[in-house]
Amino acid sequence: MKFRTKEDYIVDTVNYILLGIVAIVTIYPFWYVFVLSFNDGYDALVKGIYFWPRKFVLDNYIAFFTDGRWLSAFGVSVVRTVIGGVCTTLFTCMVAYAHSRPNLMFRRFYSLLLIFCMYFSGGLIPFYVTLRSYNLLNKFWVYIIPGLLSYFFVIVARSFFSELPPELMEAAKIDGASDLGIFFRVVLPVSTPLLATMLLFQAVNHWNSWVDSAYYVRDESLRTLSYRMMEVINKSNISDAMAQSSSAMAQMAEANRTTSFSLQCASLVVCIIPILCVYPFLQKHFVQGMMIGAVKG
């Protein structure tokens, strides 16, 4: 057993204190939102809520799940996240695998093109015109098709595929497998860490995205949950102050003890929970996948 000096105990104590402070600063904002989501919305406006609900109610979540707009936005976000995450991961891996083959024609040109596109874009207006020319505006597929290719993960996946033993592909070719057969039956099954990492990043990106819903969609039934949250966040709190000063609105408040801020907190909790539920299942592969491409570029 290693002998520990007084200085070791001091250093450990300081480290634990600093880590505890960082943990509190990191976790407390989530806990604060969680507490407010279960507290009476108008009661939270009167006095501060810090550690636990003072008036525990479920009205915020009832208002959320009974509002057709929120439910529609939640469904759109779920469908978009599933389809967008899977399609982007698959399409990006296909491009990266083709680019990792040494016999690919114009391979260097494609590399330069990918790097250029990753750092430079045509701008919002040319992108809008392009979407309009492809008839994607105000369509669900405007969430999926423009983001099918991730330039960054093409470079990462290319490094991963380049490290695979070439004997695997050669043996599959001898058995008569086509290029697509090699990709789906040989390459993808041994690329679980890469797929899990890409899928997690792309799913979070689709789940949190709201700009495309704001700029390229007019149909209210196609709005995403993140857009609805930004809509609530951007609303002024003046309406809540007016509701407290009006007797008619005060009677309505007795029947429905929610405010725009308390509904916002409930929507934040609903938005965070799916990611928290998915992450533990991908954590093992995610830790391995973070090291992909760190050795060879």
Side-chain angles (χ1 to χ4, degrees), residues 120-131:
F120 302 97
S121 65
L124 180 62
I125 296 179
F127 185 64
Y128 183 90
V129 173
T130 301
L131 294 179

Side-chain angles (χ1 to χ4, degrees), residues 71-281:
L71 289 179
S72 175
F74 183 80
V76 171
S77 293
V78 170
V79 175
R80 172 188 178 172
T81 300
V82 174
I83 297 178
V86 173
C87 292
T88 301
T89 300
L90 179 61
F91 191 79
T92 300
C93 284
M94 293 178 66
V95 174
Y97 173 71
H99 197 264
S100 67
R101 298 301 87 198
N103 57 346
L104 178 67
M105 295 181 60
F106 308 112
R107 188 167 180 260
R108 181 175 177 80
F109 170 76
Y110 292 142
S111 298
L112 296 176
L113 182 63
L114 285 172
I115 295 175
F116 181 85
C117 293
M118 185 171 62
Y119 287 105
F120 302 97
S121 65
L124 180 62
I125 296 179
F127 185 64
Y128 183 90
V129 173
T130 301
L131 294 179
R132 185 178 63 180
S133 64
Y134 283 103
N135 197 26
L136 289 176
L137 294 179
N138 206 35
K139 300 289 196 313
F140 173 79
W141 293 106
V142 76
Y143 298 141
I144 309 299
I145 295 178
L148 277 178
L149 184 65
S150 173
Y151 304 123
F152 172 77
F153 276 108
V154 166
I155 298 175
V156 174
R158 180 187 63 186
S159 300
F160 178 84
F161 293 142
S162 298
E163 294 295 322
L164 294 178
E167 291 80 7
L168 291 175
M169 279 68 79
E170 293 175 0
K173 285 185 178 180
I174 293 175
D175 292 337
S178 62
D179 290 332
L180 285 177
I182 294 174
F183 176 73
F184 284 104
R185 297 181 181 180
V186 178
V187 175
L188 289 187
V190 299
S191 306
T192 305
L194 172 68
L195 296 177
T197 304
M198 292 179 59
L199 185 60
L200 181 62
F201 272 99
Q202 297 305 324
V204 172
N205 179 61
H206 278 284
W207 184 260
N208 292 332
S209 180
W210 63 272
V211 176
D212 44 11
S213 182
Y215 291 164
Y216 312 129
V217 172
R218 298 186 305 275
D219 190 350
E220 292 297 321
S221 63
L222 294 177
R223 300 295 191 185
T224 60
L225 182 61
S226 297
Y227 174 84
R228 292 296 182 195
M229 291 173 55
M230 289 300 302
E231 194 176 40
V232 173
I233 292 174
N234 292 331
K235 283 183 178 179
S236 175
N237 291 327
I238 297 178
S239 59
D240 293 334
M242 293 176 60
Q244 287 182 320
S245 61
S246 172
S247 59
M249 295 299 293
Q251 293 177 359
M252 294 179 60
E254 291 296 330
N256 185 12
R257 306 297 297 177
T258 62
T259 62
S260 60
F261 182 71
S262 63
L263 184 59
Q264 172 190 334
C265 293
S267 64
L268 284 172
V269 173
V270 174
C271 188
I272 292 172
I273 286 178
I275 300 299
L276 294 180
C277 293
V278 171
Y279 181 78
F281 298 99

